[in-house]
Amino acid sequence: AVEGATHDEL
Amino acid sequence: MNVFRLVADLMHLASILILLLKIRKTRSAAGISFKSQLLYLIVFVTRYLDLFTHWVSLYNTAMKVFFIASSGYIVYQMQRRYRATWDPALDTFRIEFLLGGAAVMSLIFHTKFTFLELFWTYSIWLEAVAILPQLFQMSRTGEAETITAHYLFALGAYRGLYVVNWIYRYATEGYWEWIPFLAGMVQTVLYADFFYVYFSRVMRGKKFELP
């Protein structure tokens, strides 16, 4: 997984 | 995806289209705070640094590209073609405090101390206050064009609906992030005066004027 990039919103 | 988030995203999309329409139709960026527009460009660039590393969906990517591109286009056009149509002397809010404040907030309040996460958090805190130069300019001039008021309403409604979305997501999926929730609440509170005037005047066909 990419570091910290868990956000699925805009 | 739920209805609150979808409508919020569409309001955000609409707000930018209304702003572009206002500038093109009146051939003027008068009444628009360049500083707020610059802050939104910084918000989208820093938030969507994961554009090429983290795939969510075509919808998500298309919206990210649109928000970065459109905010960049608006900032560029305000500096070039429409440079003479707006008055920098009215746009005097000190954004250094907002840029610095958001940096301090993201260094103190974040979930992970990583490059992408810190910039993401920075964009969240900065977005909460990015509208202040625009509201400050309007409080100085005491009025706004109706189309500008519609733009601001759509922009404010977008984050307000995201707050509802977060509450809904917590209730239905157990998903919770307190940083965007808090930032969204701050932004919505900053909009409170504007919403009041918008509902009591602009929605009734009157001009946006501060009492």
Side-chain angles (χ1 to χ4, degrees), chain B residues 88-93 134-143 210:
Chain B
L90 296 173
D91 193 18
T92 52
F93 196 93
Q134 177 70 52
L135 295 175
F136 181 69
Q137 175 170 333
M138 278 160 51
S139 73
R140 286 189 65 186
T141 59
E143 57 174 33
L210 294 173

Side-chain angles (χ1 to χ4, degrees), chain A residues 2-10, chain B residues 5 47 53-54 115 117 165-166 169:
Chain A
V2 178
E3 51 168 64
T6 54
H7 312 292
D8 64 350
E9 294 178 335
L10 293 160
Chain B
R5 201 165 138 201
R47 183 169 312 165
T53 60
H54 181 68
F115 180 82
E117 189 68 16
N165 154 70
W166 291 317
R169 286 191 77 177

Side-chain angles (χ1 to χ4, degrees), chain B residues 67-140:
Chain B
F67 292 142
I68 293 174
S70 58
S71 56
Y73 176 77
I74 289 163
V75 164
Y76 177 77
Q77 289 287 44
M78 282 186 80
Q79 278 297 329
R80 303 295 295 257
R81 191 200 287 213
Y82 300 100
R83 188 76 180 85
T85 63
W86 56 277
D87 186 1
L90 296 173
D91 193 18
T92 52
F93 196 93
R94 296 287 299 273
I95 59 170
E96 298 87 337
F97 294 113
L98 304 182
L99 291 164
V104 171
M105 286 295 279
S106 53
L107 285 172
I108 302 173
F109 304 105
H110 54 262
T111 45
K112 272 180 264 177
F113 196 84
T114 60
F115 180 82
L116 283 178
E117 189 68 16
L118 282 178
F119 274 103
W120 180 85
T121 313
Y122 179 74
S123 83
I124 294 290
W125 291 123
L126 187 61
E127 186 184 16
V129 292
I131 200 62
L132 281 176
Q134 177 70 52
L135 295 175
F136 181 69
Q137 175 170 333
M138 278 160 51
S139 73
R140 286 189 65 186

Side-chain angles (χ1 to χ4, degrees), chain B residues 19-31:
Chain B
L19 178 59
L20 289 169
L21 189 73
K22 175 255 178 311
I23 294 174
R24 287 199 81 97
K25 240 192 137 178
T26 63
R27 294 205 197 98
S28 163

Side-chain angles (χ1 to χ4, degrees), chain B residues 10 29 37 57 62 65 79 106-107 109 127 134 147 177 188:
Chain B
L10 294 179
Q37 296 306 316
S57 63
V65 170
Q79 278 297 329
S106 53
L107 285 172
F109 304 105
E127 186 184 16
Q134 177 70 52
I147 193 163
E177 287 197 79
T188 304

